[in-house]
């Protein structure tokens, strides 16, 4: 079992920066992949960035060069620079836990990011 809690969201002007954090508790040592998703009102939830336990990363085209995902033990971060109004969304922490019994998907409660003009 894994619990995920996001923090660091808020209101920022276009061009500004925010750093999101995700704290994982529970069976943290079995987490293989962690990721950030976001969902804007009326839109589908989309993958923003992902990171594996060996440090491999992947980014959505819309955030490449602006966002950076990182991981340190049970903490995951998303450094967001050069923010744009279209980045406004609820950002969710996601984790995949792989054990001998199978793989399990976990989600945080979300943190709101609002980028003003």
């Amino acid at each position: 079992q894994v619990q995920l809690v996001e923090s660091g969201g808020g209101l920022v002007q276009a061009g500004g920066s925010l750093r999101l954090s995700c704290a994982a508790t529970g069976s943290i040592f079995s987490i293989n992949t962690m990721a950030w998703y976001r969902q804007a009102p009326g839109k589908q939830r989309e993958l923003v960035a992902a990171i594996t336990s060996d440090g491999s990363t992947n980014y959505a085209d819309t955030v490449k060069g602006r966002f950076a995902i990182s991981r340190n033990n049970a903490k995951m971060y998303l450094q967001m620079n050069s923010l744009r109004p279209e980045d406004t969304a609820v950002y969710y922490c996601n984790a995949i836990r792989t054990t001998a019994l199978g793989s399990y998907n976990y989600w945080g409660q979300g943190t709101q990011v609002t980028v003003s003009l």
Side-chain angles (χ1 to χ4, degrees), residues 9 15-16 20-21 30-31 34-35 44 51 56 64-65 73 76-78 83 91 93 95 98-100 102 105 112 117:
L20 305 183
S21 298
S30 61
I31 296 174
M34 298 186 73
Q44 294 280 88
I51 186 167
S56 179
K64 286 180 180 176
N73 295 324
M76 181 179 65
Y77 306 92
L78 185 67
L83 283 163
Y91 284 70
C93 180
T98 302
T99 71
N105 192 274
Q112 177 71 48
L117 290 169

Side-chain angles (χ1 to χ4, degrees), residues 6 53-54 74-75 90-91 95 100 113:
E6 304 97 332
S53 57
D54 65 3
K75 297 276 286 187
V90 177
Y91 284 70
V113 172

Side-chain angles (χ1 to χ4, degrees), residues 37-40 43-47 90 92-93 107-108:
Y37 287 74
R38 67 186 181 188
Q39 187 167 25
K43 297 183 179 180
Q44 294 280 88
R45 186 174 298 187
E46 65 175 348
L47 176 67
V90 177
Y92 295 92
C93 180
W107 294 92

Side-chain angles (χ1 to χ4, degrees), residues 20-82:
L20 305 183
S21 298
C22 174
T25 59
S27 300
I28 59 176
F29 299 110
S30 61
I31 296 174
N32 286 345
T33 302
M34 298 186 73
W36 289 99
Y37 287 74
R38 67 186 181 188
Q39 187 167 25
K43 297 183 179 180
Q44 294 280 88
R45 186 174 298 187
E46 65 175 348
L47 176 67
V48 178
I51 186 167
T52 64
S53 57
D54 65 3
S56 179
T57 60
N58 191 36
Y59 296 91
D61 288 341
T62 52
V63 307
K64 286 180 180 176
R66 300 189 298 120
F67 292 8
I69 190 171
S70 61
R71 185 176 175 181
N72 183 11
N73 295 324
K75 297 276 286 187
M76 181 179 65
Y77 306 92
L78 185 67
Q79 179 65 48
M80 305 186 294
N81 299 323
S82 302

